[in-house]
Amino acid sequence: MKKLIALTVAVFASIHLYSQNNYVFFGSFNRDKTTEGIYVYRLDTISGKLSKITSFKGVLNPSYLTLSPNGKYIFACTESKTQNAGSVSSFEFNPEKKTLRFINSQKSGGENPVYVTVHKNGKWLVNGNYTEGSISVYPILENGTIQPGVQNFQFSEGSINPYRQDRSHVHSTVFSPDFNYLFAPDLGADKIRSYRFEGDRTEPLQTAEQPFITTNAGTGPRHFTFHPDGKFAYCIEELGGAVDAYSYDNGKLENIQRINTHSDEVKENFESSDIHISPDGKFLYASNRGDENNIAIFSILNDGTLKNVGYQSTYGKQARVFDMDETGKFLIVANAGSGNVFVFRRDEKTGLLKKIGKKLKINGVSCVKIRKY
């Protein structure tokens, strides 16, 4: 009987521990260094409640965040949407002390950094700059310090939309599942650029056999993600309001489908933005801003193609970024335009979403990342 009681206590303790150690990181367009820019909250996985842990001032417009593989460091695009500026910054997060400490910054190699990613070995940082259309690469020291950039690729060509595609606009930089390749959707040029990544070289990005793949003219590829099985990849079009599905093999993409993220009634102003796949690989989620402000939900078929199964309102405006926890049970949306955040519980069988918890207000919230510690 004593053993049974002890086991029961241990089970409940582990459940409580799980619910207390899911941290959520938010970036924002704070516009002012004297105000909070980065926020850390704890997610209660029972109620969906977000409780503030800490925040950081002294940083301008941390528009996008990513975490190191060990979760110890946060890397941010900073001075985004700031004329003649742009940087990438490093912070140390201590979950035991509940502190966020600034480490250092480096110039981003182009105006308006919008996306940053880290290699699985934690030694390399890659950044995409939107306004000037460039990709920059930085070594990272073991203590989280970002070293000066070692590579910067500048692009200039645009496409057919004179208002949005006057020149290159790199909008994300995403590693392949094996981290041997890097893919960079270029909204301005209607291309998904790709490079081999050779981490043992001082300049790791090298020309790939397939240096780019062209998307439909005027569609504006934005964010990019891989299926957990590594056989398929998906890109969301900001201007075209669709998801492009690709088969993937050793650095090469081949288009297999293009499917709208919006209903037939919507003809323009899609502003589609972010894209993620559930950890089980069964569902894909794509956010629309513009006139809809929703998340399109797709089931993923065995051949990698998509089938629409529904839409979920984001309960705000301009859902710039959303994220799922590692279990796939929760999805959190950051509505940049309305400055609010909502937590959704995900039905693992249907893929549908249900809002839980209360609305969280964060002015200019631009990004969200979830991690269990």
Side-chain angles (χ1 to χ4, degrees):
M1 186 65 179
K2 289 183 179 180
K3 290 184 178 180
L4 180 60
I5 294 173
L7 179 61
T8 303
V9 171
V11 169
F12 278 100
S14 65
I15 293 173
H16 177 72
L17 181 63
Y18 178 84
S19 69
Q20 294 300 307
N21 287 284
N22 286 267
Y23 290 98
V24 186
F25 303 84
F26 296 103
S28 69
F29 292 112
N30 61 341
R31 312 290 180 182
D32 183 354
K33 283 187 177 182
T34 65
T35 63
E36 295 170 300
I38 298 177
Y39 304 77
V40 184
Y41 281 75
R42 180 186 290 120
L43 170 66
D44 186 316
T45 57
I46 305 301
S47 67
K49 180 181 179 181
L50 290 167
S51 302
K52 189 175 180 180
I53 299 301
T54 188
S55 63
F56 189 88
K57 297 179 180 180
V59 61
L60 183 65
N61 289 356
S63 65
Y64 193 86
L65 312 175
T66 196
L67 281 79
S68 62
N70 62 9
K72 188 174 182 179
Y73 304 110
I74 300 171
F75 300 100
C77 295
T78 42
E79 298 179 304
S80 298
K81 291 190 175 182
T82 305
Q83 192 171 6
N84 300 319
S87 57
V88 288
S89 300
S90 175
F91 303 82
E92 181 182 23
F93 175 61
N94 188 318
E96 295 179 357
K97 296 180 180 179
K98 300 179 177 57
T99 57
L100 198 57
R101 179 182 67 86
F102 174 75
I103 299 175
N104 82 316
S105 293
Q106 296 286 355
K107 291 294 183 182
S108 60
E111 195 171 289
N112 194 13
V114 291
Y115 199 100
V116 65
T117 191
V118 182
H119 193 274
K120 67 177 180 180
N121 64 16
K123 297 179 179 180
W124 295 100
L125 185 75
V126 184
N127 165 68
N129 300 294
Y130 178 84
T131 301
E132 294 176 359
S134 64
I135 300 170
S136 301
V137 184
Y138 308 82
I140 306 171
L141 299 183
E142 288 188 8
N143 64 2
T145 300
I146 304 172
Q147 295 288 87
V150 295
Q151 285 180 291
N152 181 264
F153 296 86
Q154 188 77 55
F155 311 103
S156 59
E157 72 267 37
S159 191
I160 64 171
N161 186 325
Y163 302 103
R164 297 295 311 278
Q165 297 180 309
D166 58 320
R167 58 165 300 141
S168 170
H169 296 304
V170 174
H171 218 306
S172 57
T173 52
V174 179
F175 280 109
S176 60
D178 59 10
F179 286 82
N180 290 332
Y181 291 88
L182 183 92
F183 293 85
D186 188 332
L187 183 150
D190 287 322
K191 291 180 177 180
I192 301 174
R193 305 183 186 277
S194 59
Y195 291 87
R196 290 199 328 273
F197 195 90
E198 300 178 10
D200 57 343
R201 303 179 65 154
T202 55
E203 296 184 349
L205 282 189
Q206 302 294 319
T207 302
E209 184 178 345
Q210 183 189 65
F212 63 85
I213 188 169
T214 302
T215 64
N216 288 6
T219 56
R222 179 183 170 103
H223 280 190
F224 191 77
T225 192
F226 282 92
H227 192 278
D229 68 9
K231 297 179 181 179
F232 305 102
Y234 304 86
C235 186
I236 190 166
E237 306 168 355
E238 178 171 339
L239 307 181
V243 173
D244 295 303
Y246 299 92
S247 62
Y248 176 73
D249 181 43
N250 196 31
K252 296 181 180 179
L253 298 170
E254 183 177 347
N255 186 262
I256 57 174
Q257 184 190 28
R258 181 173 184 266
I259 184 170
N260 289 338
T261 61
H262 53 86
S263 62
D264 293 338
E265 289 74 26
V266 180
K267 304 298 182 183
E268 59 184 0
N269 194 28
F270 312 118
E271 291 189 42
S272 303
S273 53
D274 204 9
I275 185 168
H276 293 282
I277 295 175
S278 58
D280 59 16
K282 294 181 179 180
F283 295 94
L284 181 144
Y285 300 82
S287 58
N288 297 300
R289 298 170 295 175
D291 292 335
E292 292 184 280
N293 293 300
N294 66 14
I295 292 179
I297 305 168
F298 301 90
S299 62
I300 303 176
L301 307 182
N302 290 336
D303 63 357
T305 58
L306 306 175
K307 180 182 178 181
N308 182 269
V309 297
Y311 300 91
Q312 173 61 57
S313 170
T314 64
Y315 297 99
K317 296 181 179 179
Q318 295 284 315
R320 187 174 188 266
V321 174
F322 64 94
D323 197 19
M324 272 183 281
D325 75 317
E326 64 180 44
T327 69
K329 294 179 180 178
F330 298 93
L331 184 149
I332 300 180
V333 176
N335 292 305
S338 52
N340 53 35
V341 172
F342 289 95
V343 178
F344 295 85
R345 192 184 301 276
R346 193 179 74 89
D347 188 308
E348 296 180 17
K349 292 183 179 180
T350 66
L352 300 181
L353 304 171
K354 181 179 181 181
K355 181 169 67 71
I356 59 172
K358 296 181 179 180
K359 175 175 68 176
L360 172 66
K361 289 290 293 181
I362 298 179
N363 290 333
V365 62
S366 60
C367 184
V368 54
K369 294 292 178 182
I370 311 169
R371 184 185 172 95
K372 180 183 175 183
Y373 285 82

